[in-house]
Amino acid sequence: MNKSKRHEIFSRWQAANPAPTTELNFDNPFQLLIAVMLSAQATDKSVNIATARFFPTHGTPQGILALGLDGLTDHIKTIGLFKTKARNVIETCRILIEQHDGQVPETREALEALPGVGRKTANVVLNTAFGHPTIAVDTHIFRVANRTGIAPGKTVLDVEKRLERVIPKEFLVDSHHWILLHGRYICVARKPKCPQCGIADLCEYKQKTNPY
């Protein structure tokens, strides 16, 4: 895919959604971090339902530690892998208090040192909480990047690095959300909604459901 085509794709996404953001509910970087940790192999909707039970009264590292492992587990038991996630969240809260004055660190290294926080989670927090031009490649972004031809790659890291290299700089900070939302609602896995797609004439997918 050439530069002009990529630029037009992101221009259209920007025009349609000038201020994209995550669909997870949060009030500060800490709550975002916890929500993203809980969202692995779970829907944003299920995470929002769970966090609504404890964020209003225990939405700080100190508050979650006060809940304790059993209390937190009870609040998030509707989410997949809830036992492991509860342990990781409790330990993360302890580390944030002991090593970071209760604040979420703004570096990849410090974020990835937290239990249950990998590269993807760190990228989401750096991007959404702090405005860094990072791209968290999940299954949606991996699919869209490959299917459309925007940034083909064999691995998640390949796609991430290529996206960072080829996306026009003026779109980089918001690109994560545009691609993710496109994959979640339009360029879905089984049968992409090509007739509803605003970039179908630019996409290089050869098996469009409504070919141009």
Side-chain angles (χ1 to χ4, degrees):
M1 181 176 288
N2 61 44
K3 290 181 180 180
S4 62
K5 192 180 284 188
R6 284 196 198 94
H7 193 281
E8 178 60 21
I9 286 172
F10 284 95
S11 293
R12 290 185 190 180
W13 282 339
Q14 184 182 58
N17 187 3
T21 189
T22 179
E23 293 183 316
L24 291 168
N25 295 334
F26 68 97
D27 289 329
N28 52 56
F30 170 73
Q31 291 183 5
L32 174 66
L33 171 63
I34 300 307
V36 178
M37 290 175 67
L38 296 177
S39 71
Q41 298 182 44
T43 64
D44 287 359
K45 182 178 180 180
S46 69
V47 172
N48 289 337
I49 291 170
T51 55
R53 299 184 188 118
F54 64 94
F55 272 180
T57 54
H58 293 82
T60 64
Q62 296 83 354
I64 289 179
L65 282 182
L67 270 178
L69 181 60
D70 290 343
L72 177 62
T73 300
D74 188 56
H75 283 306
I76 67 170
K77 62 186 177 183
T78 53
I79 300 174
L81 307 175
F82 66 93
K83 291 182 179 179
T84 298
K85 290 176 180 178
R87 288 195 296 270
N88 286 337
V89 167
I90 290 291
E91 187 58 23
T92 286
C93 290
R94 185 173 291 113
I95 291 171
L96 290 178
I97 291 170
E98 293 176 356
Q99 300 181 18
H100 302 285
D101 297 320
Q103 301 300 308
V104 175
E106 198 176 335
T107 69
R108 180 188 304 284
E109 294 73 21
L111 285 167
E112 290 186 16
L114 299 170
V117 177
R119 184 179 184 89
K120 185 172 74 172
T121 297
N123 279 346
V124 173
V125 174
L126 289 171
N127 177 264
T128 305
F130 301 116
H132 291 213
T134 53
I135 300 172
V137 179
D138 65 356
T139 55
H140 296 301
I141 293 179
F142 186 80
R143 178 176 65 255
V144 172
N146 276 284
R147 183 185 276 169
T148 62
I150 290 173
K154 292 183 178 180
T155 69
V156 166
L157 189 58
D158 287 343
V159 169
E160 178 187 331
K161 294 299 185 183
R162 186 155 186 169
L163 284 169
E164 289 177 348
R165 191 167 64 249
V166 302
I167 293 173
K169 284 191 168 35
E170 65 264 38
F171 303 119
L172 203 49
V173 170
D174 289 325
S175 62
H176 163 87
H177 298 296
W178 285 321
I179 303 171
L180 186 152
L181 292 170
H182 190 70
R184 182 174 290 171
Y185 295 111
I186 300 296
C187 199
V188 294
R190 293 189 179 180
K191 188 179 180 182
K193 301 174 183 178
C194 301
Q196 301 172 36
C197 178
I199 63 162
D201 57 318
L202 302 168
C203 167
E204 297 182 354
Y205 184 50
K206 290 182 171 58
Q207 298 171 297
K208 293 187 178 72
T209 53
N210 184 26
Y212 277 72

